[in-house]
Amino acid sequence: EIEGKTDERTINHFKQKMVELAKQATDREQAATQAERDVDKLMMAELMEKHIGEEAEGVIVSVEKYGFYVQLDNLVEGLVPVASLTGDYYEYVEELKCFIGKSTKIRYSLGDRVPVKCVAASRETKTVDFNLVKTLTRDKEEEKVLTKHVGSK
């Protein structure tokens, strides 16, 4: 340091240290977030192990190729695998994030309230599995809209 000024070498040293510290802080924050999610999943599974076979109503909060996640009023989330949907062949429509029955045109999408039954829960895998209790019915106007969309695919 000359006359109150920091030399270039010192500035570069601290720039590099700041980059390293920022990366370390980000990594620790991500690890903490993942640990929190894992504990939440573990607690949900532990709670639901005592409620296997029980029915409840929940909201579809996420839709993926392999099924959709339903969140109950008590905030427990579980997966309804697409393979468990009966009465039709359900196609995943990525742009709408929903499943639509090929012949019935019944649709399951984000925000739908659905009745489910807890069929499995495991602390070991931190998972909760649901099946639908009954198939949703649809009104004629909604069916026209869906037929139009599916037909344009």
Side-chain angles (χ1 to χ4, degrees), residues 60 62-70 78-85 92 98-99:
I60 297 175
S62 177
V63 182
E64 305 296 333
K65 287 185 246 187
Y66 51 86
F68 51 85
Y69 289 90
V70 174
L79 174 66
V80 176
V82 67
S84 74
L85 300 177
Y92 175 64
C98 72
F99 284 96

Side-chain angles (χ1 to χ4, degrees), residues 6-23:
T6 306
D7 65 22
E8 194 69 29
R9 185 172 159 226
T10 304
I11 291 171
N12 287 337
H13 168 77
F14 284 111
K15 276 185 181 177
Q16 181 59 37
K17 284 289 181 196
M18 293 304 289
V19 169
E20 291 170 16
L21 289 172
K23 182 178 180 345

Side-chain angles (χ1 to χ4, degrees), residues 18-49:
M18 293 304 289
V19 169
E20 291 170 16
L21 289 172
K23 182 178 180 345
Q24 184 180 20
T26 298
D27 291 346
R28 294 292 79 214
E29 184 177 356
Q30 289 172 345
T33 300
Q34 187 58 50
E36 183 180 349
R37 287 182 185 139
D38 287 345
V39 169
D40 287 346
K41 288 178 182 179
L42 175 68
M43 299 301 285
M44 286 186 227
E46 185 175 4
L47 171 68
M48 293 309 288
E49 282 179 336

Side-chain angles (χ1 to χ4, degrees), residues 58-112:
V59 176
I60 297 175
V61 293
S62 177
V63 182
E64 305 296 333
K65 287 185 246 187
Y66 51 86
F68 51 85
Y69 289 90
V70 174
Q71 184 179 64
L72 304 180
D73 292 339
N74 65 3
L75 304 181
V76 168
E77 281 187 29
L79 174 66
V80 176
V82 67
S84 74
L85 300 177
T86 60
D88 202 348
Y89 173 77
Y90 287 87
E91 293 180 317
Y92 175 64
V93 181
E94 187 171 7
E95 56 273 8
L96 295 177
K97 284 288 198 183
C98 72
F99 284 96
I100 300 176
K102 196 167 182 133
S103 58
T104 62
K105 306 298 184 226
I106 291 173
R107 177 173 65 172
Y108 296 101
S109 57
L110 289 175
D112 287 349

